[in-house]
DNA sequence: GTCAGTGCAAAGCTTTTGCAGCGCG
DNA sequence: CGCGCTGCAAAAGCTTTGCACTGAC
């Protein structure tokens, strides 16, 4: 069972119709390992010979986010990125020099966050951890 | 010793000149308890009868960030915020419903992050933790 | 056949940049 | 007095919105 199947099914059940643009965006996201921005998704799809309107990419991402199917990732460079809400929870490392974004995960960190969430008084829906610095390549 | 004194001193030592706009922005930030966006700073300064060009606010924030005097805070709403790089390290809780931003801090969380940083292979300069959800008021 | 989905283009925002002139050092 | 800081205005991105049309159901 792929994420794309879950996504299509969830949208169908919420009364949305399936169009070509949405299918292309969902298929594209399913093949990615980390977060992607709307412009990036649009450019890649056009390059792959699957022309999709930029507006449709934004609208699809908005819809996916509203249904909890993608998670918003903001690394602070003015571009909003999204990634499939997989089960393999992770966070991000950003290189301030070259802009590269990598992922990592850590159980101890998750436990600490859960504890904070419990005491916060908020009904929390998501959390993000962002580490910024210079990657090995840029340091050299 | 206020943060504003540190800021002025650090900028002076890095060969920058002091102008009215910069002084107003620094004084403003010194009186804030949490992060502020550039437009917000500009509007507040104008309202306070200290007219400052919006471009100067951006340029001052950029300069302060380059010198490590302010920390960038991005809560994912398309506005980049900044707050003085105080010694009291903290992170942020964002209410997705009303947009309110609060702060919190937790030693266990910091320890976990430090451990991840150590193993990352990056030369890390900063980290951020963002918790998103609904605050007590919006849940009611 | 209806109406949501799509694409294009225009508008809206925040942020950045160009440039003339003021003023700190 | 020179050069950096400032402010205005224009430009540059990313994102959103309006509108006519296509196509899913």
């Amino acid at each position: 069972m792929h994420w794309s199947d879950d996504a299509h099914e969830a949208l169908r059940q919420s009364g949305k119709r399936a169009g070509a643009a949405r299918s292309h965006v969902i298929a594209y996201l399913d093949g990615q390992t980390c977060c992607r921005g709307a412009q990036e998704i649009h450019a890649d799809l056009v390059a792959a010979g699957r022309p999709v309107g930029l507006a449709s990419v934004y609208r699809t991402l908005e819809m996916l986010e509203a249904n909890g199917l993608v998670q918003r990732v903001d690394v602070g460079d003015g571009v909003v990125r999204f990634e499939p809400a997989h089960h393999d929870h992770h966070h991000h490392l950003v290189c301030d020099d070259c802009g590269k974004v990598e992922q990592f995960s850590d159980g101890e960190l998750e436990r600490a966050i859960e504890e904070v969430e419990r005491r916060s008084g908020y009904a929390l829906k998501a959390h993000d951890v962002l580490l910024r610095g210079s990657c090995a390549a840029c340091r050299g």
Side-chain angles (χ1 to χ4, degrees), chain A residues 24-115:
Chain A
H24 289 152
V25 172
I26 289 176
Y28 173 90
L29 285 176
D30 203 28
Q32 303 303 316
T33 58
C34 199
C35 51
R36 296 281 178 260
Q39 307 272 354
E40 194 176 2
I41 296 171
H42 177 250
D44 285 355
L45 284 177
V46 169
R50 272 178 281 173
V52 163
L54 180 55
S56 294
V57 174
Y58 278 105
R59 281 188 282 237
T60 297
L61 290 173
E62 181 186 7
M63 184 185 304
L64 288 170
E65 188 190 16
N67 285 72
L69 294 162
V70 293
Q71 188 183 4
R72 174 183 295 245
V73 176
D74 199 319
V75 302
D77 62 351
V79 180
V80 182
R81 283 157 229 257
F82 293 90
E83 62 189 14
H86 281 134
H87 298 305
D88 62 322
H89 183 73
H90 64 256
H91 295 295
H92 298 91
L93 275 162
V94 181
C95 176
D96 281 339
D97 300 329
C98 65
K100 183 172 57 180
V101 179
E102 290 184 60
Q103 52 181 276
F104 72 90
S105 60
D106 182 75
E108 195 59 47
L109 179 58
E110 295 303 324
R111 266 192 296 282
I113 289 174
E114 279 164 26
E115 183 57 35

